[in-house]
Structures are given as C-alpha cells and as structure tokens.
Amino acid sequence: MKQSFPPLINPNSRILILGTMPGEKSLACQQYYGNKQNQFWRILYRVFQREYSEDYETRKSLLMEFDIALWDVLRSCEREGSLDSKIKQATANDIMDLIQKYPKLKTIVFSSKNAEKFFYKYLSEIPDVEYVTLPSPSGAHASMRLEEKIEHWKKISQL
C-alpha cells in the first residue's frame, strides 16, 4: 500500500492544490512532484516570476510565500508504477477536516482532471469553497506545451 505525504500548509494558506497521489519517483525522494519530468515546480516558478530552484526547501518556501497549500486527494492506494489509471483500493485524505482546521482555505485547485475525478469519487463538494481544475503538469501530459500549461496555471496568481 502506497501512502501520500502530509500536507504542506501554513495558517495563512488560501489555496489548496490537490494532486492525485505521489508517483514512484516522488515517493522515492519523499518530495511532492519529485519526478524531474513533472513540470509542476517549473510552472509555479514561472507563474510567480521567481528564479527556478531545484532545492526542495526553497520550493516549499515559494508555496508558503504565496499562501498555497499542497496535498493529494488520496491518502493511500495500491498502484503498480505511477499512472493514475493503475490506482486500486484507494482511500481519500480528510480534506474537509483540513479545511476546517485552516479556515482561510477558500479555493481548491486540482492539478489535473484525474485529481478532480478522484475527489468527486471519494469526497463531496465543500460549501463556500471555489474549485478550479488545471492541466496536469505531468510530463506524460504531452498534448499541451509547457507555455500553454503556464498560461492556464496563471489563474492561481489571481485567486
């Protein structure tokens, strides 16, 4: 059984970005979006016009600077490899509890259509929370160029 990470969050977090479940490389290095092929961090650095960093602590600081929390829809699952389509026996994180503990969270951003799909499969919409779905930053989502993804992801800088 694979386990997700605890949330990256601070008391001022206003936006919660939800992924589906960390992939193999992220689990191995114990970092959100740790696969170098994933464009998540490159996108965020471009959106917030900051110099890109490979350092994980610096990356987490970027999130905190802009009051962004990061977590996954799923707490645990069985999965061979990293593809969301291979997820079985999933259990969801208690996102409602997180929202109650951090009342400034008013927006949930799904980092892919799969994250949105799993959210609605296991959880219910939370009152007074806005929902936004953005294109997957995964390198496997090659039908959209990085520049196009960045344009979509700029929405989070306006929330």
Side-chain angles (χ1 to χ4, degrees), residues 71-138:
W71 208 15
D72 287 298
V73 173
L74 301 179
R75 177 171 29 119
S76 64
C77 72
E78 292 290 337
R79 179 178 64 195
E80 203 174 306
S82 296
L83 294 176
D84 289 349
S85 60
K86 301 283 187 184
I87 290 174
K88 296 175 183 165
Q89 299 177 344
T91 304
N93 275 313
D94 192 344
I95 294 162
M96 174 64 103
D97 183 62
L98 190 77
I99 300 275
Q100 289 171 344
K101 287 179 181 169
Y102 295 90
K104 290 185 179 180
L105 285 173
K106 295 296 180 193
T107 305
I108 289 178
V109 173
F110 299 112
S111 69
S112 68
K113 289 182 180 177
N114 281 334
E116 177 188 34
K117 180 184 84 171
F118 279 103
F119 180 90
Y120 288 113
K121 180 175 181 176
Y122 294 104
L123 302 160
S124 299
E125 232 176 63
I126 301 165
D128 302 319
V129 172
E130 178 183 359
Y131 294 86
V132 176
T133 303
L134 294 173
S136 172
S138 170

